[in-house]
Amino acid sequence: MAASKKAVLGPLVGAVDQGTSSTRFLVFNSKTAELLSHHQVEIKQEFPREGWVEQDPKEILHSVYECIEKTCEKLGQLNIDISNIKAIGVSNQRETTVVWDKLTGEPLYNAVVWLDLRTQSTVESLSKRIPGNNNFVKSKTGLPLSTYFSAVKLRWLLDNVREVQKAVEEKRALFGTIDSWLIWSLTGGVNGGVHCTDVTNASRTMLFNIHSLEWDKQLCEFFGIPMEILPNVRSSSEIYGLMKAGALEGVPISGCLGDQSAALVGQMCFQNGQAKNTYGTGCFLLCNTGHKCVFSDHGLLTTVAYKLGRDKPVYYALEGSVAIAGAVIRWLRDNLGIIKTSEEIEKLAKEVGTSYGCYFVPAFSGLYAPYWEPSARGIICGLTQFTNKCHIAFAALEAVCFQTREILDAMNRDCGIPLSHLQVDGGMTSNKILMQLQADILYIPVVKPSMPETTALGAAMAAGAAEGVGVWSLEPEDLSAVTMERFEPQINAEESEIRYSTWKKAVMKSMGWVTTQSPESGKNLPTNMPS
């Protein structure tokens, strides 16, 4: 009986989903896209100073191994043979920067996380060197000069961490975003590990020319980055190397996509004009613009969406990035203690059903799209003696929806064709109040797939479809239909507009908060790695 059950399953594909707050490993059936099993581990974030956000690269790597082992154990309990796993895809938090020693395999400093603000003074001094009439950084990369992207984080490490400077001088330093660190480590590390990244992750470093799809000499010179420490850039779907340890030793790693690109693929947004919004630590709305780079006049980024094979064409996307979405819930839990678990926020918000005029702008890391205003900081305003923690919880959920509305408005102006509905995914979409609020505030239906793990699914699809693996078909007629849940707007448009314009007033009040660089500039740094 068991044998015939195994036979029915057909080939399986695994996906590492390494996010800002957790790591997961998920296993899918490549014929039906059904999720068979998964395991998740929360990741620590360290805040050594005001505005700094770091993670331990070794903790991230160990969490990946742990998730793989535990998922394989669970599959064994389900009587599913793990030898059916034919490929592994990697999807990752983007922009987070790691520099490690290729001879010892040890990180030379903690990973500097995408949310980190320590590079504000680096950004300011660099922006003075860009000629006003020729922003070559933006025209080559599609990105504004911001603390968000990897090049400035790498520049900071080169300027401030002696171990990194020394390793670069002695030609033993390697740089990578989280995908590169994981793939290098999983494919052998110091024993022949593959040092590579894919076009989607490369396009978030600010060192990559999104037109020629290569590291750009002029950009590397501008940021003062030695090109020999950069990974090789590959497509998002090809065999990079084989797993060298653990339960899945010998299985090819054959898919790699930054998490937001992975979700775009997992949501099957393969057509020009299709868009998805992912609710994770931050919030990311991506719209497929096909084979052409569309540059935004409204604060959106132009980015590489995917390139699903060495000989396949590249697709681009417009992206609106919000720094703080799920992170605001984690903050209410860990910093204020008004909830004990993230799920509780829905209960608190439901109790009151309104923020009662309270507005929350969670600009903890400044404001990203469409403002790109690093001087902003979080504010809660409109408080009265009547306001309680339930109203603040509701306002926090509303903040996520208002931020999405701002990006959607910008996207509609850039693309000229308003979206008729919004496809959503990510951990926060299990919160029904949030989804209903989002439909009300956007005034269009919000559509959620019944299997919300679209980021991991996208990485699995890329891995399974790779040349030499070929167990997942990306032909439209072969893609299994996904069941959806729809949330229709339930308030009148006028009320929606009033709430939105009040929100914008609150956003204006959050700006211009930080005027000096004193606590954040990070001079007089210890040169040793923080423990």
Side-chain angles (χ1 to χ4, degrees):
M1 176 66 210
S4 64
K5 186 179 172 191
K6 285 177 192 174
V8 170
L9 273 172
L12 312 179
V13 179
V16 172
D17 179 4
Q18 205 299 300
T20 317
S21 47
S22 71
T23 298
R24 290 177 297 183
F25 184 69
L26 305 90
V27 174
F28 297 92
N29 179 333
S30 68
K31 295 289 174 254
T32 60
E34 177 196 357
L35 175 59
L36 298 175
S37 186
H38 73 286
H39 188 76
Q40 176 166 352
V41 173
E42 196 167 293
I43 299 284
K44 279 205 293 291
Q45 293 178 27
E46 296 170 31
F47 306 98
R49 295 193 191 184
E50 172 68 33
W52 293 28
V53 191
E54 296 179 1
Q55 290 177 328
D56 177 353
K58 291 176 79 172
E59 184 197 341
I60 290 175
L61 180 61
H62 291 152
S63 72
V64 169
Y65 278 120
E66 184 185 338
C67 288
I68 289 175
E69 298 303 312
K70 290 278 199 301
T71 304
C72 288
E73 282 169 26
K74 290 177 185 178
L75 289 170
Q77 288 157 10
L78 293 168
N79 216 0
I80 295 169
D81 189 346
I82 61 170
S83 70
N84 283 328
I85 298 175
K86 301 303 181 198
I88 295 169
V90 174
S91 142
N92 56 286
Q93 51 168 317
R94 303 170 304 167
E95 300 96 15
T96 297
T97 299
V98 189
V99 181
W100 67 95
D101 185 322
K102 67 179 173 193
L103 302 181
T104 64
E106 290 294 311
L108 296 165
Y109 190 81
N110 270 343
V112 180
V113 178
W114 57 277
L115 281 165
D116 186 281
L117 286 176
R118 76 188 65 185
T119 52
Q120 192 45 44
S121 53
T122 314
V123 168
E124 282 163 15
S125 59
L126 283 166
S127 58
K128 293 192 180 95
R129 292 175 35 214
I130 297 179
N133 57 350
N134 170 23
N135 188 342
F136 66 93
V137 176
K138 188 155 194 223
S139 59
K140 284 172 184 261
T141 65
L143 309 173
L145 194 55
S146 160
T147 57
Y148 182 18
F149 307 107
S150 317
V152 288
K153 301 179 193 301
L154 182 50
R155 181 66 260 154
W156 185 92
L157 290 168
L158 290 166
D159 288 338
N160 293 285
V161 182
R162 183 68 196 119
E163 272 83 352
V164 173
Q165 296 160 352
K166 208 158 160 295
V168 169
E169 287 157 17
E170 294 170 8
K171 303 260 185 273
R172 48 189 178 78
L174 295 179
F175 152 79
T177 40
I178 296 295
D179 55 307
S180 300
W181 163 244
L182 292 179
I183 291 173
W184 184 82
S185 303
L186 297 172
T187 56
V190 293
N191 301 311
V194 179
H195 188 217
C196 69
T197 187
D198 89 300
V199 287
T200 67
N201 281 296
S203 79
R204 313 296 292 189
T205 59
M206 249 183 170
L207 301 169
F208 184 71
N209 187 315
I210 61 174
H211 311 285
S212 66
L213 303 183
E214 291 169 332
W215 297 122
D216 189 287
K217 198 160 172 295
Q218 187 190 7
L219 290 169
C220 289
E221 280 166 7
F222 176 71
F223 289 104
I225 306 293
M227 290 181 85
E228 65 271 13
I229 71 173
L230 303 178
N232 289 319
V233 183
R234 315 270 288 266
S235 78
S236 315
S237 174
E238 58 179 87
I239 295 176
Y240 312 110
L242 306 180
M243 287 286 287
K244 284 292 192 294
L248 298 179
E249 192 176 343
V251 176
I253 299 176
S254 54
C256 177
L257 291 152
D259 50 11
Q260 304 313 322
S261 285
L264 194 73
V265 171
Q267 284 266 32
M268 325 280 179
C269 295
F270 295 127
Q271 302 294 315
N272 194 338
Q274 284 185 301
K276 66 88 206 167
N277 196 29
T278 300
Y279 299 77
T281 298
C283 219
F284 301 89
L285 181 60
L286 268 70
C287 181
N288 188 331
T289 62
H291 302 305
K292 61 175 190 294
C293 286
V294 175
F295 282 88
S296 170
D297 298 322
H298 302 98
L300 303 180
L301 311 177
T302 306
T303 200
V304 174
Y306 52 82
K307 183 182 189 313
L308 295 174
R310 218 174 298 190
D311 307 318
K312 295 282 195 298
V314 64
Y315 280 76
Y316 295 96
L318 268 178
E319 169 174 336
S321 326
V322 167
I324 303 289
V328 75
I329 315 299
R330 195 168 171 161
W331 182 81
L332 290 175
R333 184 191 74 184
D334 297 349
N335 293 32
L336 291 198
I338 70 171
I339 48 176
K340 287 195 176 61
T341 66
S342 300
E343 291 69 41
E344 253 175 75
I345 191 152
E346 190 169 0
K347 209 165 86 227
L348 285 187
K350 199 172 182 175
E351 259 175 61
V352 285
T354 169
S355 68
Y356 202 77
C358 165
Y359 287 81
F360 189 160
V361 182
F364 302 155
S365 297
L367 287 166
Y368 283 13
Y371 301 102
W372 298 103
E373 185 45 76
S375 70
R377 282 298 173 273
I379 59 166
I380 302 176
C381 53
L383 301 176
T384 67
Q385 281 172 311
F386 183 74
T387 311
N388 63 31
K389 66 181 183 180
C390 298
H391 298 119
I392 290 173
F394 196 95
L397 293 181
E398 265 192 326
V400 175
C401 301
F402 285 131
Q403 292 182 105
T404 299
R405 163 89 193 255
E406 292 193 294
I407 294 176
L408 196 73
D409 284 358
M411 193 114 12
N412 287 339
R413 287 200 291 271
D414 278 325
C415 294
I417 309 161
L419 291 180
S420 57
H421 64 275
L422 184 63
Q423 286 176 238
V424 301
D425 57 73
M428 290 182 84
T429 59
S430 58
N431 184 324
K432 287 198 166 18
I433 289 202
L434 178 76
M435 293 293 93
Q436 186 54 56
L437 264 176
Q438 189 66 86
D440 289 347
I441 287 167
L442 295 179
Y443 217 66
I444 55 173
V446 166
V447 181
K448 174 192 160 202
S450 54
M451 201 283 297
E453 302 294 349
T454 50
T455 300
L457 178 61
M461 288 164 66
E467 194 181 332
V469 178
V471 297
W472 206 305
S473 166
L474 298 182
E475 296 304 321
E477 62 273 15
D478 296 332
L479 293 170
S480 37
V482 186
T483 50
M484 298 284 190
E485 188 177 356
R486 274 175 84 89
F487 294 85
E488 301 283 345
Q490 287 177 359
I491 63 172
N492 67 42
E494 194 182 350
E495 189 190 335
S496 181
E497 288 310 311
I498 291 168
R499 275 157 60 177
Y500 183 46
S501 60
T502 315
W503 154 263
K504 289 194 136 166
K505 214 158 80 182
V507 171
M508 289 304 150
K509 291 193 188 318
S510 77
M511 289 189 192
W513 207 257
V514 182
T515 46
T516 66
Q517 278 305 311
S518 50
E520 291 175 12
S521 62
K523 295 297 167 233
N524 317 323
L525 260 189
T527 54
N528 59 329
M529 179 166 169
S531 56

